[in-house]
Amino acid sequence: MNAVDFRPDPQPLFAGWRIARFARLGSTNDEARRAALAGDPGRLWIVADEQVHGRGRKGRFWSSPPGNLYASALVVDPCPPAIAPQIGFVAGVALAQAIADLGGAGFGLKWPNDLVWRGAKVAGMLVEGVATSDRRLACVVGVGVNCASAPSGLDYPAAALNDALGRPVAAEALFIRLATRFHEALGLWARGQGFAAVRSLWLASAAGLGGPIRVADPRGEREGAFEGLDEGGRLLLRTAAGVETVEAADLYLATTAAQR
């Protein structure tokens, strides 16, 4: 078993949410997935001080030393499966609001799943789905935040939250704000019925909105202007040929061409 200091009876948090803490895990997302397959009813946060196999989108390695925040929320039957990717925007709004609660300014949400500060990546989010034994949808929403330290030597710039705020903020303090804001954002989202409101909040914090961007997907690379999001959360890219809807891609902002 790759979990250390496992507490088999998750502690109550608020509003039916529970939290299971670990000193060290392979991945908080993997642990939340195991909980879903074991029949956990959801409203569960998995939090680890350190991850040894942390990952981001497309299986990219996520450096996970102690001092940063590694947390995954398990939500069972959150919405119809077709709109489950919207929960990533719910998480983004919650994270941006949590950091604002701590005095953060100048942060932006970068489509589809990052939080940046001055063009450098501070946090990433990873949403994964799993079918439970009774064929319900379970969503695992992973959030990794560079609180005390940020990795170096990457092919994109990264920054630590403490440096951006100009003062130290413990991962636990950020987690409590994140859990609260995520609960609120889920309520606003209302299983997808309130996505327009979530989309509006996300766009209010969007990095690069209206400016030049580059996207890369299996179709290749294209440049244009970040026009916004459509009603389902897909990126709108304006080019000389018109407005293109982008389902999934890596996004590069003009000021940080290597960022992903």
Side-chain angles (χ1 to χ4, degrees):
M1 185 174 180
N2 65 348
V4 178
D5 192 26
F6 173 55
R7 297 177 179 176
D9 298 315
Q11 299 172 315
L13 194 57
F14 59 83
W17 286 90
R18 296 159 296 135
I19 175 173
R21 299 182 182 277
F22 299 81
R24 190 168 184 253
L25 273 178
S27 159
T28 58
N29 264 35
D30 287 348
E31 189 65 27
R33 183 178 186 275
R34 280 191 285 271
L37 293 174
D40 192 280
R43 290 206 167 204
L44 171 68
W45 279 98
I46 303 290
V47 180
D49 296 335
E50 180 183 6
Q51 296 182 124
V52 294
H53 298 298
R55 65 181 188 279
R57 286 179 65 235
K58 300 182 180 179
R60 293 170 179 143
F61 176 70
W62 184 269
S63 178
S64 307
N68 296 337
L69 176 63
Y70 315 110
S72 296
L74 173 62
V75 188
V76 177
D77 190 26
C79 62
I83 63 171
Q86 292 179 4
I87 204 169
F89 295 97
V90 175
V93 166
L95 180 58
Q97 291 176 335
I99 288 179
D101 289 343
L102 297 173
F107 292 83
L109 291 167
K110 187 171 82 71
W111 186 90
N113 67 336
D114 292 340
L115 184 83
V116 298
W117 178 73
R118 295 183 178 177
K121 184 171 180 174
V122 174
M125 288 155 279
L126 177 64
V127 178
E128 298 179 307
V130 59
T132 64
S133 59
D134 56 357
R135 299 185 179 180
R136 291 189 297 166
L137 170 68
C139 283
V140 176
V141 185
V143 181
V145 184
N146 301 326
C147 293
S149 64
S152 59
L154 304 177
D155 59 355
Y156 58 87
L161 178 63
N162 288 356
D163 292 336
L165 295 178
R167 61 184 177 86
V169 172
E172 175 66 13
L174 175 58
F175 168 69
I176 294 301
R177 294 310 310 159
L178 172 62
T180 301
R181 288 299 196 173
F182 186 65
H183 174 72
E184 294 171 351
L186 275 177
L188 178 65
W189 182 50
R191 296 177 57 85
Q193 296 181 38
F195 181 65
V198 170
R199 173 179 170 273
S200 179
L201 289 171
W202 193 97
L203 285 169
S205 296
L209 184 63
I213 59 172
R214 178 165 54 94
V215 298
D217 61 16
R219 295 175 51 195
E221 295 189 0
R222 285 97 68 208
E223 295 182 351
F226 182 10
E227 188 81 357
L229 304 177
D230 73 0
E231 294 180 353
R234 291 172 287 270
L235 182 140
L236 298 176
L237 175 69
R238 179 173 291 280
T239 67
V243 177
E244 175 188 346
T245 301
V246 180
E247 181 80 28
D250 285 328
L251 170 66
Y252 303 84
L253 301 176
T255 55
T256 54
Q259 186 180 352
R260 67 179 68 197

